[in-house]
Amino acid sequence: MESNTLENKTKSIPIKNKGMKAFLKKCKDQQALLWMTVPFIIWVFIFKYLPVWGWTMAFQDFKPALNFSDQEWVGFKHFAFLFTDDRFLGVLRNTLAQSLINLVLGFVTAITLAVLINELSNMKFKRVVQTISYLPHFLSWVVAAALVSSVLSIDGIINEILMGLGLIDDEILWLGIGEYFWGILGAAETWKNVGWNAIIYLAAISMIDQEQYEAAKIDGASRIQRIFYITIPGMKSVIIVLLIMNIGYILEAGFEPQYLLGNGQNVEYSENIDVFVIKYGISMFNFSLATAAGMFKTVISFIFLIAANSFSKKMGQGGLY
Amino acid sequence: MNRKNVWLVLLLVSLIFVLAACSGDSEEASEDNAENENTETGEDSGETFTYHFFDASGPGEDINTSETTLGQMFEEETGVNFDIEHIVGDVNQKIGTMIASGEYPTLLNAEQSTDAVIDAGGFIPLNDLIDEYAPNLKEMYGPYLEMMKRDDGNIYVISSGAAHGYKKPANLNQGAWWIKRDVLKELGYPEPKTLDEYFDIIEEYTAANPQIDGADTIGFTALTHDWRFFALSNQPMHLAGYPNDGGALIDMETQEAEVYNDKDITKRWLQKLNEVNDIGLFDQESFTQNYDEYLAKITSGRVVGFFDYRWQVGQALNTLQEDEDPYNDYMGFPVVFDEDVKDQYLDPIGFTASPGIGITVGTPKEDQIRIMKFLDHIAKEETQKLITWGIEGETYEVDEDGRYYRTEEQIEETSKTEFRDNFGFSYFEWGWPRMNGEYADGNAVEPPKQEEVASMMYDEGDNEFLEAYEIETFTGLFSEPDERPWYPAYDAPIETGSEAQLYEQQLDDLMKRKFPEIIFADPGEFDNQWGAYTDEFSSLPKEAYEKVITDFVQNKAKLMESSKE
């Protein structure tokens, strides 16, 4: 066995050289293109890699007034604080739960909407539906949150409808009950983004060869069957790429809606990592803790992304890279 | 695309990058040049200098001071004007970002984050500048200069309100228990003295009037949004007969600080709210509404009563005052726990060393001097009169005894927001070096505190209530403040990252989480809920906080004593 691998290695050297040569030749042939990427590599380096230097803050008791060499190094103190703090564990739970709800709801609703819109034959109606569905995307969360909170207030429309239908006896203070928060957040996110998210799926659907539908029709496939056997499989590759990308953002459950809709009564369900960072980091000028929490988020996201990608490759679906 | 074209594109792209990189530099360079030229030509050339002033004390329109009458006058005298930028959103976050980036405006009022900027080395020490260039400022602040010094002996910010004697305000600006005037009128002008009487009034009215203008009557609402939570948690202190000292009660004799958030007075307050909630008088949305929704609710006239500081609900109450119906307004009462408690809602003479305005690091020496001279100009008594009273013959008159007064038209004119903005009252009102109390000639610094002005400010609606309660002004029901040389204790600087700071944040979180549970609990559950809260409270580092406050109070009181001698 051992000798075999050794042999392989020695054998592979000339091939490698050949590969290197081919690589250099390719570089030479495409040198114009390579030069054109240089400015962008510099850009990425300056804006994406240099800031990573700031991560050192997480291992210090950072004081803005002091020079780098004068900072006090404290090792993993801030990480230790995070993972022994009950509150942070709750915050982590909220982040994951909110994110998962958003992920699942976001995908299911956007795909469903895209398929349904695609099935519409009246062009005018189709356009109107699509426009209305993606309009809320352009509202800022500040406005959207004000809308959500007024709809959900005691004398808001939701309470009025439910009371009118006789489904509830007393008005419900929706934002005052922690357990409801995840649901409210998921619904609000869906309302705001479903139309926008559907656009890319509609684009994917439009790439499907129309002849497939005609062939299926001739073979006697019903509308539902056409959706399940042609449309959805046709969108599969787009869905998977988006899923992988979104899993990379699993700890980015968003910040604005949680911050704006959160209050003392639902804090145990609304506070996520980003809100925590603002409260205990930036607002208390504890930049080290904020950096530690942010770093943790990045590392976890990285792991999720790589895992999802390799899982997808193993399943024979091709990955992001 | 052939080879030549590719290179052309590449050239173009790099050219764009080079240009983009250069333009930033060249702009900066030209700015530097301009500044250098200015300094060389000196002040006599009539050049004006514009500095960036970030004011975190409140929202407002961003303007240049020279666009106002006052600012124009000051610019002529000193050659300096300011681009004022006001805060939008959360102060701590905005200032936190400044600290993190190290980029400050030239002049900064960091409001509650002042200590953090000082800790981060964001302000320059002003001692030498004041000594050399600010004789008027030194005179105006007198003994307070010593109090403005931090532990390291440096003065970093100049705060507003150097007190020169006490003037009882004619109108409330501090905390009070507000009740809608309509309610008072209907119930025959009752005067609530204790908390129980106050809620009895609310109960009686609400029972008879379940709806106001077609909407459900709200008995008592509370402001709890974000950092304004103290509008709910401060009451035990006030009800027990203390002024607003912040998070601790200060013993008048020993000058020791003691937190009260786990004491009986807090329990009593929460128990009352729990009862009030049980009979349906407590606004269910108290903990979910934000600041704007709270103000809107008060403006709508559906609310019977609430506790708050006048400056905090100013927007709402001013709006109500401006409309036609005088019964829509609210009247404030000094409510306490028991009859024999002396209320202390009016602020005693006090001095807050922070917040204030300071010059930030990186400001060139010449600019520091110019700004200091500008501040010194403001500190002259004649300038102070311009800032508070305006121009004689235009915004105020002087009678033969030298007393200042305003005619009815002047009162109306100067109370208009638009006029105040254009004249500059709104921008120089507070935050800049300012006196408090009386001028050397006996006139009040602030027109509303001058009897001649105050008595004319009331309209018929106001007079009806003043007569009914047999008082001269709306502060007539309130006791005179006791002398508290340390006042206010909440001015104590709390070090960033210290245990005391952690206590404040954790307490805030704990109260925000637990108070709703306690108040909304079934009355039978109250004791359990209160127990759960105090259990959690006992793990907070309250001793660290009490020590910081006690040290501050005792030190400040000592300074005040020695300055009197």
Side-chain angles (χ1 to χ4, degrees), chain B residues 145-163:
Chain B
L145 280 177
E146 204 51 43
M147 253 170 254
M148 279 152 62
K149 285 186 181 158
R150 299 285 158 152
D151 289 344
D152 58 3
N154 286 330
I155 296 172
Y156 293 99
V157 296
I158 298 170
S159 38
S160 225

Side-chain angles (χ1 to χ4, degrees), chain B residues 28-204:
Chain B
E28 246 171 63
S30 65
E31 238 174 42
D32 282 349
N33 283 341
E35 246 168 60
N36 287 339
E37 276 166 34
N38 286 345
T39 49
E40 277 162 26
T41 46
E43 286 156 41
D44 300 322
S45 67
E47 290 262 17
T48 54
F49 299 87
T50 302
Y51 299 108
H52 182 195
F53 170 33
F54 186 88
D55 185 4
S57 66
E61 205 185 327
D62 294 346
I63 63 150
N64 184 285
T65 50
S66 67
E67 291 163 37
T68 64
T69 315
L70 286 175
Q72 182 69 45
M73 293 167 81
F74 300 158
E75 186 194 292
E76 277 160 24
E77 297 270 347
T78 61
V80 171
N81 63 38
F82 293 92
D83 276 329
I84 305 185
E85 185 189 346
H86 290 92
I87 184 87
V88 178
D90 186 75
V91 175
N92 282 353
Q93 281 165 34
K94 178 74 190 179
I95 304 293
T97 321
M98 274 185 199
I99 293 173
S101 68
E103 279 173 24
Y104 299 102
T106 315
L107 203 60
L108 173 66
N109 174 1
E111 205 51 31
Q112 72 252 38
S113 303
T114 303
D115 295 330
V117 180
I118 294 174
D119 285 344
F123 286 123
I124 57 161
L126 302 173
N127 309 33
D128 296 344
L129 284 169
I130 294 175
D131 267 345
E132 251 177 273
Y133 302 101
N136 297 304
L137 202 72
K138 267 171 99 171
E139 196 193 317
M140 185 168 99
Y141 279 88
Y144 296 114
L145 280 177
E146 204 51 43
M147 253 170 254
M148 279 152 62
K149 285 186 181 158
R150 299 285 158 152
D151 289 344
D152 58 3
N154 286 330
I155 296 172
Y156 293 99
V157 296
I158 298 170
S159 38
S160 225
H164 288 225
Y166 178 75
K167 269 274 181 195
K168 187 171 180 174
N171 286 302
L172 286 171
N173 199 32
Q174 291 305 319
W177 296 80
W178 303 88
I179 297 188
K180 205 180 166 193
R181 281 189 187 170
D182 207 17
V183 177
L184 297 171
K185 189 183 148 218
E186 194 170 316
L187 301 182
Y189 308 107
E191 191 191 331
K193 289 214 168 68
T194 67
L195 192 60
D196 291 331
E197 288 168 10
Y198 178 80
F199 279 110
D200 287 345
I201 292 175
I202 293 177
E203 191 179 355
E204 191 183 339

Side-chain angles (χ1 to χ4, degrees), chain A residues 31-32 35-36 39 64-65 87 149 153-155 173 175-176 259 263-265 267-268 278 280 283-285 287, chain B residues 3 6 9-10 17 92-93 96 99-100 113 116 120-121 284-285 287-288 293 302 496 501 505 509 512-513 516 520:
Chain A
Q31 60 173 313
W35 278 110
M36 278 160 80
R87 204 157 150 179
S149 85
S153 71
I154 292 240
D155 41 15
L173 188 61
L175 287 172
Y259 186 73
N263 59 51
Q265 281 178 278
V267 66
E268 279 173 56
I278 283 280
Y280 274 78
S283 290
M284 283 181 75
F285 309 103
F287 302 112
Chain B
R3 220 182 148 83
V6 169
V9 169
L10 180 61
F17 269 85
N92 282 353
Q93 281 165 34
I99 293 173
S113 303
Q284 300 294 300
E285 288 179 324
F287 295 97
T288 50
E293 287 164 343
R302 292 167 60 196
T496 314
Q501 191 204 22
Q505 177 75 26
D509 280 337
K512 277 183 181 159
R513 207 152 38 83
F520 290 135

Side-chain angles (χ1 to χ4, degrees), chain B residues 456-477:
Chain B
M456 285 177 65
M457 285 170 67
Y458 300 123
D459 57 21
E460 262 175 64
D462 294 327
N463 284 327
E464 179 189 332
F465 287 88
L466 290 173
E467 277 160 30
Y469 287 95
E470 294 168 359
I471 43 177
E472 300 271 307
T473 65
F474 282 109
T475 49
L477 297 171

Side-chain angles (χ1 to χ4, degrees), chain B residues 341-353:
Chain B
V341 176
K342 182 183 174 193
D343 72 89
Q344 292 287 301
Y345 286 91
L346 301 181
D347 281 349
I349 292 180
F351 180 77
T352 49

Side-chain angles (χ1 to χ4, degrees), chain B residues 370-399:
Chain B
R370 268 187 216 108
I371 293 172
M372 188 46 75
K373 282 183 173 166
F374 181 90
L375 296 178
D376 188 55
H377 177 71
I378 287 206
K380 285 181 195 158
E381 194 161 300
E382 49 178 289
T383 324
Q384 289 285 302
K385 286 181 178 171
L386 274 174
I387 290 172
T388 58
W389 282 90
I391 300 167
E392 188 184 333
E394 280 183 39
T395 54
Y396 74 100
E397 308 290 338
V398 185
D399 70 9

Side-chain angles (χ1 to χ4, degrees), chain B residues 3-20:
Chain B
R3 220 182 148 83
K4 219 175 180 181
N5 282 350
V6 169
W7 281 106
L8 213 66
V9 169
L10 180 61
L11 202 71
L12 213 75
V13 169
S14 45
L15 204 70
I16 290 168
F17 269 85
V18 170
L19 278 179

